[in-house]
């Protein structure tokens, strides 16, 4: 395996950066969509069942099937990386929405009450009280999502959008474990690194919270 | 003092005053103006608010908690610093020692004091207090009640104070409003209250006297 890895180091590097790119863009989109959506649910709890339900449904669709289902969509299905990013973002959403909702709902009622009574506007309440106090829970959701997405992104190779999954699928068709491992090990390392980094941030935020 | 059993509407009354709750009928007037004509945010910043356990922001230091409303109101920095020092001293927590601590690094009684300092910080003409000393041990509670009484004599603000404790009402209040199942039963001076023959008042007075006799014997 070692010789294979050394002789393919260029390709490993390219596929790893592709993989990283797929995960980063998907996570960025999932955060940009998921956090505001989670906040929205704390303001309009009537929507909670619908949004979280819809998300759970998406989560239950097997990865490959979701790629297939998105394929006929006009803009999304037009390019394989677009398609992969859409699917990965959809998968990454649930833990982020859920944790944002739980984190903000978990702010102590007397703290929120005092904040409102002191004359904080809705926006001030959100930025000065709710988000700082929910930050570590939100990051915990992002952490779960990221680890999940790193693994899931390997499947994106099946529709030709690159990433470390290329090695895995190639290895599978060649029945060569060396090739599979050359894809699987960097992906696993990436997941571990993301987990550690976000765990570190999460603990820092938790300490800053003082409660 | 709003006095009455649980569920009699004391806290509800309090929350109607700063528009945390909206009346289903009738009108609430603050400083002679209907709440409908007040800007809610402006109104609330003119009303100090202190609750049980303080309701402090756990991620803010004591200093940041106390300076909250002055900062929201964009006071100049120097004025904020001076005022925070002043109110912290007023409640017996010198800012040099306590300013940089977080709420989880001080005692319950101290948190309560910080809550009071925060309510006083922007020098609001009105104070709303919802069982502010409720969660304290009896010794600290009595100490804070006494200090608050002295402070109130000095500051002479309009204070609406919710309690279910008769002795607190008698000790701290100038007037006692007795509430019962959502209605105001009557308003009394402490002396009137103690002498009242009213069937609703008597149980409170009896309870107070019994406690006193227990101490005396």
């Amino acid at each position: 395996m070692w010789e294979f890895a050394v002789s393919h180091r260029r390709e490993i590097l390219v596929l790893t950066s592709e993989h990283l790119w797929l995960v980063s863009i998907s996570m960025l989109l999932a955060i940009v969509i998921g956090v505001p959506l989670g906040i929205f649910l704390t303001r309009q709890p009537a929507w909670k069942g619908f949004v979280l339900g819809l998300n759970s449904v998406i989560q239950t669709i097997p990865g490959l099937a979701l790629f297939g289902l998105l394929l006929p969509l006009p803009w999304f299905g037009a390019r394989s990386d677009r398609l992969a990013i859409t699917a990965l973002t959809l998968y990454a959403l649930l833990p982020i929405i859920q944790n944002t909702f739980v984190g903000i709902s978990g702010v102590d009622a007397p703290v929120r009450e005092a904040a409102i009574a002191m004359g904080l506007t809705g926006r001030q309440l959100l930025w000065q009280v709710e988000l700082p106090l929910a930050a570590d829970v939100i990051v915990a959701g992002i952490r779960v999502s990221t680890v999940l997405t790193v693994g899931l992104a390997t499947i994106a190779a099946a529709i030709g959008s690159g990433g470390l999954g290329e090695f895995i699928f190639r290895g599978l068709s060649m029945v060569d474990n060396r090739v599979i491992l050359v894809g699987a090990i960097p992906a696993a390392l990436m997941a571990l690194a993301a987990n550690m980094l976000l765990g570190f941030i999460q603990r820092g935020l938790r300490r800053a919270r003082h409660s | 003092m709003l006095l009455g059993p649980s569920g009699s509407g004391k806290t509800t009354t309090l929350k109607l005053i700063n528009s945390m709750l909206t009346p289903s009928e009738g009108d609430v007037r603050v400083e002679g103006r209907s709440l409908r004509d007040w800007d809610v945010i402006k109104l609330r910043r003119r009303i100090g608010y202190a609750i049980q356990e303080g309701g402090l922001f756990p991620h803010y230091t004591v200093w940041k908690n106390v300076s909250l409303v002055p900062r929201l109101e964009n006071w100049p920095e120097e004025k904020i610093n001076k005022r925070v020092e002043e109110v912290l001293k007023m409640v017996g927590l010198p800012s040099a020692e306590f300013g940089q601590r977080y709420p989880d690094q001080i005692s319950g009684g101290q948190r309560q004091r910080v809550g009071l300092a925060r309510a006083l910080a922007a020098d609001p003409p009105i104070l709303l207090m919802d069982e502010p000393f409720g969660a304290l041990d009896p010794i600290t509670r009595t100490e804070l009640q006494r200090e608050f009484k002295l402070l109130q004599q000095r500051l002479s603000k309009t204070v609406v104070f919710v309690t279910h404790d008769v002795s607190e009402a008698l000790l701290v209040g100038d007037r006692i409003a007795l509430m019962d199942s959502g209605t105001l039963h009557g308003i009394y001076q402490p002396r009137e209250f103690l002498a009242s023959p009213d069937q609703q008042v008597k149980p409170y007075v009896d309870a107070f006297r019994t406690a006193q006799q227990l101490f005396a014997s």
Side-chain angles (χ1 to χ4, degrees):
Chain A
M1 188 192 97
W2 190 242
E3 300 98 74
F4 181 84
V6 171
S7 62
H8 287 73
R9 60 184 182 279
R10 247 206 120 71
E11 203 182 354
I12 293 175
L13 218 63
V14 170
L15 291 180
T16 303
S17 57
E18 271 180 14
H19 202 89
L20 201 60
W21 183 78
L22 278 177
V23 172
S24 306
I25 301 290
S26 310
M27 284 313 298
L28 205 71
L29 283 172
I31 292 167
V32 167
I33 300 167
V35 174
L37 212 52
I39 295 168
F40 168 76
L41 293 188
T42 62
R43 304 299 190 251
Q44 308 285 335
W47 285 81
K48 193 184 147 205
F50 174 73
V51 173
L52 293 183
L54 187 70
N55 250 281
S56 308
V57 170
I58 294 172
Q59 292 275 325
T60 60
I61 303 174
L64 267 172
L66 185 60
F67 287 118
L69 285 172
L70 291 171
L71 202 57
L73 288 182
W75 185 82
F76 297 98
R79 278 176 48 183
S80 65
D81 53 350
R82 216 179 266 166
L83 183 64
I85 287 169
T86 310
L88 292 176
T89 304
L90 285 175
Y91 279 120
L93 274 174
L94 184 68
I96 297 180
I97 299 176
Q98 209 152 28
N99 276 42
T100 304
F101 179 81
V102 169
I104 290 181
S105 309
V107 172
D108 276 346
V111 171
R112 180 179 286 115
E113 190 188 310
I116 296 170
M118 307 295 271
L120 267 74
T121 61
R123 188 168 297 189
Q124 286 164 338
L125 176 68
L126 179 67
W127 286 98
Q128 297 187 24
V129 181
E130 292 178 320
L131 284 179
L133 290 176
D136 67 315
V137 180
I138 296 175
V139 171
I142 294 173
R143 185 179 170 189
V144 171
S145 268
T146 309
V147 173
L148 204 91
T149 304
V150 171
L152 214 59
T154 54
I155 303 178
I159 52 161
S161 50
L164 290 163
E166 294 254 321
F167 280 128
I168 297 176
F169 281 106
R170 201 186 304 164
L172 280 172
S173 58
M174 291 161 63
V175 200
D176 188 340
N177 278 338
R178 290 177 316 168
V179 186
I180 295 180
L181 285 173
V182 162
I185 289 172
L189 289 177
M190 196 185 289
L192 282 172
N195 190 34
M196 262 169 63
L197 178 71
L198 289 165
F200 182 73
I201 295 174
Q202 189 191 335
R203 277 188 297 277
L205 288 167
R206 189 172 184 87
R207 266 196 299 279
R209 197 173 78 168
H210 276 277
S211 62
Chain B
M1 305 299 288
L2 295 174
L3 179 68
S6 303
S8 59
K10 308 181 298 282
T11 299
T12 306
T13 308
L14 208 66
K15 288 184 172 174
L16 284 169
I17 299 174
N18 67 351
S19 204
M20 303 271 283
L21 294 172
T22 318
S24 47
E25 54 181 300
D27 190 20
V28 181
R29 282 160 191 267
V30 173
E31 297 178 341
R33 254 163 80 198
S34 164
L35 281 196
R36 280 190 282 264
D37 303 328
W38 272 96
D39 169 16
V40 185
I41 299 298
K42 270 209 190 100
L43 170 86
R44 289 179 185 156
R45 291 188 189 165
R46 278 180 68 78
I47 300 180
Y49 191 76
I51 52 177
Q52 202 175 93
E53 276 287 308
L56 301 176
F57 297 176
H59 58 309
Y60 277 14
T61 59
V62 166
W63 194 94
K64 234 180 142 188
N65 264 293
V66 174
S67 61
L68 181 70
V69 181
R71 279 188 290 122
L72 291 175
E73 292 282 276
N74 288 316
W75 287 19
E77 207 184 301
E78 230 171 277
K79 192 177 162 197
I80 296 178
N81 288 333
K82 224 182 109 202
R83 182 59 184 168
V84 173
E85 295 256 332
E86 195 181 14
V87 282
L88 278 175
K89 209 172 134 194
M90 232 184 259
V91 298
L93 300 171
S95 77
E97 194 185 338
F98 291 94
Q100 294 315 309
R101 297 204 198 168
Y102 284 88
D104 66 343
Q105 295 165 334
I106 57 179
S107 71
Q110 288 166 338
R111 277 199 288 277
Q112 210 55 77
R113 288 164 190 266
V114 176
L116 182 58
R118 181 175 67 175
L120 290 169
D123 204 15
I126 302 168
L127 270 186
L128 303 181
M129 308 183 76
D130 193 351
E131 300 198 15
F133 310 137
L136 301 173
D137 64 88
I139 297 167
T140 316
R141 190 190 309 148
T142 315
E143 195 179 296
L144 273 171
Q145 284 166 345
R146 220 168 261 146
E147 284 176 28
F148 178 71
K149 173 106 183 158
L150 291 173
L151 202 64
Q152 165 58 6
Q153 279 162 359
R154 238 174 71 210
L155 302 171
S156 61
K157 293 184 182 300
T158 305
V159 181
V160 184
F161 194 117
V162 164
T163 184
H164 58 241
D165 177 356
V166 207
S167 51
E168 184 168 70
L170 289 164
L171 178 70
V172 181
D174 298 324
R175 284 186 299 168
I176 297 166
L178 186 64
M179 298 204 55
D180 184 53
S181 39
T183 56
L184 177 65
H185 187 71
I187 300 183
Y188 313 85
Q189 311 267 339
R191 265 172 215 295
E192 277 180 90
F193 189 82
L194 284 172
S196 172
D198 191 298
Q199 281 309 308
Q200 295 264 29
V201 176
K202 266 191 98 53
Y204 287 95
V205 178
D206 288 346
F208 178 66
R209 296 243 190 265
T210 312
Q212 271 192 326
Q213 274 157 19
L214 279 175
F215 283 120
S217 61

